[in-house]
Amino acid sequence: MPPQNNAAFSPVKLLKDYKRLRRLINENGAVFCAFDTETTGLSYKKDKIIELGAVRFDKSGVLATYNSFVHVDFPLPPIITQITHITDQMLLDAPTIQKVMADFEEFSKGCVLVAHNAQFDWNFVNAERTALGMKELKNKAIDTLDLARWAYPVNKKYSLQYLAAGMKIDVQAAHRAYDDARVCMEVFLRAVRDTDSIQK
């Protein structure tokens, strides 16, 4: 079983002034980092990250990408393998969580983080960092789930895959960290574009 983690840490600092997003992107030249985690379960207190994917981008396009499995020393729950198609074998020679957390900190330095249901991924990242004795990430963030609810109030569903289907975004590997991060980036950019007249 994965080790228990009862760490307490700061909530994600969400940017919610969506009417200023276009200005943030175009005038202030912000750099963003869309990211996603795959985990052994839903509880950051007892479950672990097994994959982290990210895309760094700005108004000019994609600047860099990152993706890594994470080594764990216990068998994955069968339901996780069923959902993600990640197997125990795939994690055997993967980097340690300490290496992945250090790499992601460097990759996302100075960026506004972007994630779908951002608190979930934020909780896992900072729980892992706290357990390692590392400082919490302090980046500001945008939650595309909340953004989509603002941009598309008549929608009945707001899952990443549902939004992607409606926007005709190509989903290549749902429930895999890198592809979910890429799709999250595209949903973010589309929502900003679709609400351009509101933001002016």
Side-chain angles (χ1 to χ4, degrees):
M1 290 296 293
Q4 296 287 318
N5 187 345
N6 296 311
F9 39 80
S10 305
V12 61
K13 297 178 181 178
L14 290 176
L15 297 175
K16 291 194 172 187
D17 191 353
Y18 298 133
K19 291 186 178 181
R20 295 188 180 181
L21 276 181
R22 188 171 67 93
R23 186 182 307 168
L24 180 65
I25 295 171
N26 294 329
E27 297 176 18
N28 295 343
V31 178
F32 301 88
C33 176
F35 80 105
D36 183 70
T37 61
E38 298 304 328
T39 65
T40 59
L42 300 177
S43 172
Y44 68 87
K45 292 184 178 180
K46 65 179 182 178
D47 293 307
K48 306 297 289 180
I49 293 173
I50 55 173
E51 187 181 33
L52 193 152
V55 184
R56 193 165 68 236
F57 64 99
D58 64 7
K59 63 182 179 181
S60 68
V62 174
L63 302 173
T65 63
Y66 174 82
N67 191 64
S68 180
F69 288 126
V70 181
H71 177 77
V72 293
D73 56 5
F74 54 87
L76 293 177
I79 186 63
I80 298 302
T81 296
Q82 182 180 336
I83 292 170
T84 66
H85 303 291
I86 297 172
T87 66
D88 295 329
Q89 188 69 29
M90 294 163 74
L91 305 183
L92 278 179
D93 298 319
T96 64
I97 187 62
Q98 188 162 12
K99 173 80 164 60
V100 172
M101 289 296 99
D103 288 348
F104 181 61
E105 179 180 5
E106 183 63 28
F107 184 86
S108 63
K109 186 178 294 183
C111 296
V112 177
L113 296 177
V114 181
H116 201 73
N117 192 18
Q119 191 68 60
F120 177 89
D121 298 286
W122 181 268
N123 284 348
F124 268 93
V125 167
N126 275 340
E128 296 277 21
R129 292 180 65 83
T130 301
L132 291 165
M134 302 171 77
K135 292 182 179 179
E136 298 175 26
L137 290 184
K138 297 293 186 182
N139 306 55
K140 292 182 179 178
I142 293 170
D143 188 343
T144 50
L145 175 60
D146 193 57
L147 172 62
R149 286 171 174 156
W150 173 78
Y152 312 107
V154 299
N155 276 21
K156 295 182 179 180
K157 298 179 182 179
Y158 294 94
S159 72
L160 191 62
Q161 280 68 42
Y162 179 86
L163 291 168
M167 296 174 179
K168 294 180 170 53
I169 295 170
D170 182 28
V171 176
Q172 299 171 6
H175 303 299
R176 289 298 302 273
Y178 172 73
D179 200 55
D180 281 357
R182 177 190 61 79
V183 171
C184 181
M185 173 190 71
E186 295 195 33
V187 167
F188 168 75
L189 293 172
R190 175 64 179 272
V192 172
R193 186 167 69 249
D194 285 350
T195 57
D196 187 62
S197 62
I198 299 175
Q199 297 180 58
K200 290 179 180 178

